[in-house]
Structures are given as structure tokens and as C-alpha cells.
Amino acid sequence: MDHIGKTFRTLRKERGYTLKTMSKGIVSFSYLSKFEQGKSDITLSTLIKLLQRLNISINEFLFFNKIIITEYNHLFKKVSIEYTKNNLPKLLEFSEGERSLYKETGNPYHKCNAIMISAIVYDIDESYDVSAEDKEFLIDYLVNCTYWSKYEVSLFGNAHAIFSASSLLVLLKEIEKRADAYKIKNQNVRELIMVLENVCLSLLREGKVEEAKEVSISLDAFIVTNYYYEKTRKLFIDGLIHFLEGNVEEGTVKAKKAIEIMRHMDEQFAEDHLAELDKFLK
């Protein structure tokens, strides 16, 4: 239990919890302290309750101790539903609710959630302003987390549109360090690939080809042989990069080849990327 306790302590401190706030209503302050020091064991049911407070699944926690995997965050699901409806009033209501909870509890998760939702509002309506202070808070949170669970990957994925190109590259370096040290679990790496590919497309839409190229190159470290969707989407992105670099014919051929491969996987997947290519061809 010594190693598990130390890992728990790292996760707790990085996410802004004191022993007092972490243990409240679940286990005694002194007992949690002993667990973190490796001086006492803890029941599985108690550990699960503590991890739920940290937004980390038991399987993710075990992975960080070199074991295994799986679970998710309820708020993201609610936000996703309203996002598909372009329901700005509901999304703003969620964001304000999370800000209120942050003021009440001081729990940094609530502020991160509020900023993430604000980023999603910005994705729908670019006139919506996300403050520099909020952006800095979210970057600091992500940089300071040694271990990235599904929560951190999803947070980055949903909020990446509000970051500058330079901030995205800083976060990319942090992601690469964690992947190399197995501090992002394998199941989350696949989600992370999708996020980084979305980042590439966002940068390309803004004409930031060099930055997109750097992100694309980094993807090679994550994509393995049997990641067919991800490999094909990267081929499409590389085609767009060639196109914007002035290699119009080569880039167009690559992108169209990727779309043809996509048709064998998912027709809608192919159509979405054809529509994306048409925007660049116009």
C-alpha cells in the first residue's frame, strides 16, 4: 500500500485538495494521512469514494501504479448533449453553476469545468470572450498535473480552441513527456490522438501551418499500426499541410486518398472530411 498511498498523495496535492477537504465525509483526516504515508491500508470502497472526488476512476488510478483501465466524467456528457443542440443559454448556465461551486468549495475542478464550458461556448459563438486569466488558470492546471486521466485529456480536448498556438505547443511538450513516462494511460492515448488531430485542423484553418506541422509530427509517437481511423485522418491532415505549403497537387491527392480509405470505414466520416477539404480548395 506504500506505493499506492504515495501516488494518491501526488494526485490529491496536484488537484488542489488538502488532507482536510479530501477526507471530509469519507474517512478521518489522520487515517488518510497514514494511508498516504504507507502506514495503514484502506478499503476498496473508501478508495473509490476518494478517487471519485478526484474525478479519477479506480482503473485509471491502478494504471498509474502500473496495473490497468476505464470510466468517465458525467458533466462532459451533459455538456456534449447541449453542444450538439447549440444551446448557448444552457451551456452558460452550466458554466455559471460550476463557477458558483468553485467559489463555495475552492475545488479547482469546478473552475476548470467552467472554463472548459466557456471554451465550448466560444466554439459556437466566437464573439464570446474567454478571459486571459481563465486561459492561464487552465494551462497551469494541465501543466502541473503529473498524471493525465481521462478528465485531463477531455479537458484539453474541449478547451483547445481558446489557446494560442504558442500555448498549444507548450501543452504538446507536456503531453509528450507524460506519454513517454506512461503517465497517460493507453486507452486515453487514443482519445488524445483524436484531440491532437483536432488541434491540427484548428491550426490549419487559421493558416498556422508550421505549428500544425509540429503537432502532426508529434502524432507519429502515439499512432500504432492498428489505429486505422487515426492513421487515415493523419494522412488527410498531412495532405492539407502539403496543400498549404504550396504543394497543391500532392496535398490534394493525399487528402483525397485518405477520404477514399475513410469511405470503407464510415461514409459519414468520409463526407465530413470531404467537406473540410472543400473549404481549403475554395
Side-chain angles (χ1 to χ4, degrees):
M1 280 292 178
D2 177 48
H3 183 52
I4 288 177
K6 285 181 179 177
T7 301
F8 183 86
R9 182 173 181 270
T10 299
L11 295 167
R12 170 183 66 76
K13 292 185 76 175
E14 288 178 345
R15 283 154 176 78
Y17 280 92
T18 63
L19 275 168
K20 184 178 179 181
T21 55
M22 188 74 248
S23 60
K24 188 177 180 181
I26 298 176
V27 68
S28 72
F29 174 99
S30 60
Y31 194 86
L32 181 57
S33 177
K34 287 178 182 177
F35 164 63
E36 290 187 347
Q37 295 173 56
K39 295 178 180 178
S40 68
D41 289 344
I42 199 168
T43 65
L44 180 59
S45 60
T46 299
L47 179 59
I48 288 171
K49 287 176 185 176
L50 291 167
L51 290 173
Q52 284 173 342
R53 189 164 282 177
L54 288 175
N55 279 333
I56 294 173
S57 75
I58 184 65
N59 288 321
E60 285 175 325
F61 178 73
L62 292 175
F63 174 84
F64 297 143
N65 285 278
K66 305 299 177 226
I67 311 176
I68 282 210
I69 325 185
T70 294
E71 192 163 301
Y72 204 46
N73 186 291
H74 180 59
L75 177 66
F76 289 167
K77 293 182 181 178
K78 292 198 302 181
V79 168
S80 178
I81 290 167
E82 300 308 326
Y83 173 68
T84 58
K85 299 175 185 175
N86 283 349
N87 190 343
L88 289 177
K90 196 67 179 176
L91 290 169
L92 289 169
E93 180 187 318
F94 288 158
S95 181
E96 286 309 307
E98 289 297 310
R99 286 188 192 277
S100 295
L101 287 169
Y102 174 66
K103 287 175 185 175
E104 289 172 21
T105 66
N107 182 343
Y109 277 125
H110 293 304
K111 186 164 184 177
C112 288
N113 291 341
I115 299 167
M116 175 201 72
I117 299 167
S118 295
I120 289 169
V121 171
Y122 171 79
D123 190 50
I124 298 171
D125 179 5
E126 291 187 1
S127 67
Y128 183 79
D129 182 52
V130 181
S131 71
E133 180 189 347
D134 277 354
K135 294 173 188 177
E136 187 177 345
F137 183 95
L138 197 54
I139 289 169
D140 285 347
Y141 171 83
L142 291 169
V143 168
N144 288 324
C145 281
T146 301
Y147 299 103
W148 276 30
S149 69
K150 190 163 189 172
Y151 177 78
E152 281 74 37
V153 173
S154 297
L155 195 64
F156 174 63
N158 282 300
H160 79 267
I162 64 171
F163 298 135
S164 66
S166 59
S167 294
L168 283 171
L169 294 179
V170 167
L171 287 168
L172 176 63
K173 296 300 180 188
E174 294 297 322
I175 288 165
E176 288 174 342
K177 283 193 287 186
R178 282 155 181 75
D180 289 343
Y182 299 99
K183 289 176 179 174
I184 303 176
K185 71 188 180 73
N186 291 341
Q187 183 173 321
N188 290 345
V189 165
R190 198 156 192 177
E191 259 192 57
L192 184 59
I193 292 168
M194 181 180 72
V195 168
L196 292 175
E197 288 179 339
N198 288 341
V199 168
C200 275
L201 289 172
S202 295
L203 290 169
L204 290 171
R205 290 180 198 123
E206 295 173 19
K208 295 172 180 172
V209 182
E210 286 306 308
E211 291 89 341
K213 195 172 181 179
E214 191 167 339
V215 178
S216 177
I217 290 168
S218 75
L219 281 163
D220 291 330
F222 299 106
I223 298 176
V224 296
T225 307
N226 61 336
Y227 284 11
Y228 301 115
Y229 273 82
E230 294 85 352
K231 283 175 66 178
T232 306
R233 197 169 185 226
K234 186 177 183 298
L235 176 65
F236 175 81
I237 289 166
D238 288 343
L240 293 182
I241 290 171
H242 283 299
F243 179 89
L244 291 173
E245 285 181 326
N247 303 314
V248 176
E249 186 176 348
E250 181 186 352
T252 304
V253 168
K254 261 192 175 182
K256 286 184 175 179
K257 179 183 177 183
I259 291 168
E260 286 309 307
I261 296 169
M262 289 174 188
R263 291 197 187 283
H264 297 288
M265 300 175 176
D266 183 327
E267 188 64 31
Q268 189 57 54
F269 186 52
E271 287 301 316
D272 290 344
H273 285 79
L274 179 60
E276 185 74 43
L277 176 61
D278 285 345
K279 292 174 189 174
F280 286 92
L281 293 174
K282 286 176 183 175

